[in-house]
Amino acid sequence: MLGFITRPPHRFLSVLCPGLRIPQLSVLCAQPRPRAMAISSSSCELPLVAVCQVTSTPDKQQNFKTCAELVREAARLGACLAFLPEAFDFIARDPAETLHLSEPLGGKLLEEYTQLARECGLWLSLGGFHERGQDWEQTQKIYNCHVLLNSNGAVVATYRKTHLCDVEIPGQGPMCESNSTMPGPSLESPVSTPAGKIGLAVCYDMRFPELSLALAQAGAEILTYPSAFGSVTGPAHWEVLLRARAIETQCYVVAAAQCGRHHEKRASYGHSMVVDPWGTVVARCSEGPGLCLARIDLNYLRQLRQHLPVFQHRRPDLYGNLGHPLS
């Protein structure tokens, strides 16, 4: 797996090596991996994905402008798929504003992203859209909906976040997502894309390994966790959880994140990244809005699963159907 980082668009490309940054230069840097599982194909033949990091605010049009700039940069750099974080559309000040700003999937904002995908000719992972579902009139609540668009702008999959973040973390402030959001009813089967088969999740879902195991057993090669982690849980848990999900499922993990201060009431940790199936962070964003890029090597993934066949060694007779494959 090769990875490099760019931030912000058009300013510089940096080598993804500890402690080393080279402005005004585009370089690829090989990451450590077991010697017997070295890359066998040319890196230029491997699909390139872009992971976008933004600071959403309640201003939906400004947020779209920022995201569109990153997506166009990703297309210019040759990515086949761009990942946007949870709440890419907006981050409101309170539940009432969240409900007011929300839209149905057939609304104006998603149409703009549909046109953007067609214009750029790449797939878009829209990591957490505030969706007014078909039950909006009855519930007056929304769904946190991960939408996947293909390069023609068609919606090929939707996953509604199943684990809602209702927590009180000292120093970070309370979060009660269920005040405005309904939990999704089911998981979505992995979707074939130009980068590989993608399993959809959202943020807090990463704390539940049963979900990632179910997606992996259903055929996922890439797990994606678009997020808006807080300033306390971020430094403590963000990278650890993402690397754990990659190692235990032997999948790539792609995590686009919100960063910085959204308004006077909320800030996010950032540190968007890509983790390979060995658990190595192969691309990461630095501080502030921008993007990082990584190549997905499915041959490497298959070799790793062959050499370390953990899914063949599971004992559901001892601990039940944790991560039971999707029906």
Side-chain angles (χ1 to χ4, degrees), residues 33-47:
R33 61 177 50 188
R35 186 173 300 173
M37 292 182 283
I39 296 173
S40 58
S41 55
S42 167
S43 64
C44 294
E45 299 172 359
L46 301 176

Side-chain angles (χ1 to χ4, degrees), residues 35 41 44 63 83 90 100 117 150 166 175 196 227 274 294 327:
R35 186 173 300 173
S41 55
C44 294
N63 295 337
F83 295 83
F90 64 86
H100 174 71
N150 66 18
D166 290 357
M175 168 74 73
S227 299
V274 180
S327 58

Side-chain angles (χ1 to χ4, degrees), residues 275-290:
V275 186
D276 76 9
W278 187 251
T280 301
V281 178
V282 294
R284 88 168 71 223
C285 287
S286 52
E287 300 299 323

Side-chain angles (χ1 to χ4, degrees), residues 86-158:
E86 181 182 31
F88 67 94
D89 50 352
F90 64 86
I91 291 183
R93 298 176 182 86
D94 53 52
E97 187 176 39
T98 295
L99 295 174
H100 174 71
L101 292 173
S102 63
E103 296 184 18
L105 288 179
K108 176 184 175 182
L109 185 62
L110 202 64
E111 177 58 29
E112 290 183 303
Y113 278 97
T114 293
Q115 294 175 9
L116 180 65
R118 284 199 296 259
E119 170 199 328
C120 295
L122 81 174
W123 288 55
L124 292 180
S125 162
L126 307 178
F129 176 74
H130 296 86
E131 179 207 2
R132 291 189 184 185
Q134 294 182 352
D135 55 1
W136 164 253
E137 295 296 333
Q138 293 76 38
T139 66
Q140 292 295 294
K141 289 189 175 184
I142 60 174
Y143 292 97
N144 190 339
C145 184
H146 188 161
V147 182
L148 188 64
L149 303 179
N150 66 18
S151 57
N152 295 319
V155 175
V156 295
T158 55

Side-chain angles (χ1 to χ4, degrees), residues 228-301:
F229 253 53
S231 57
V232 174
T233 54
H237 297 160
W238 172 250
E239 182 175 327
V240 175
L241 286 169
L242 294 173
R243 294 180 69 189
R245 297 295 83 84
I247 293 167
E248 72 196 3
T249 62
Q250 299 176 318
C251 288
Y252 283 93
V253 166
V254 178
Q258 292 281 344
C259 68
R261 181 153 294 279
H262 310 287
H263 44 69
E264 66 277 7
K265 294 183 178 181
R266 188 168 174 186
S268 294
Y269 177 62
H271 294 77
S272 302
M273 65 178 63
V274 180
V275 186
D276 76 9
W278 187 251
T280 301
V281 178
V282 294
R284 88 168 71 223
C285 287
S286 52
E287 300 299 323
L291 58 85
C292 62
L293 302 109
R295 295 198 181 273
I296 304 298
D297 186 348
L298 296 182
N299 285 333
Y300 168 57
L301 178 148

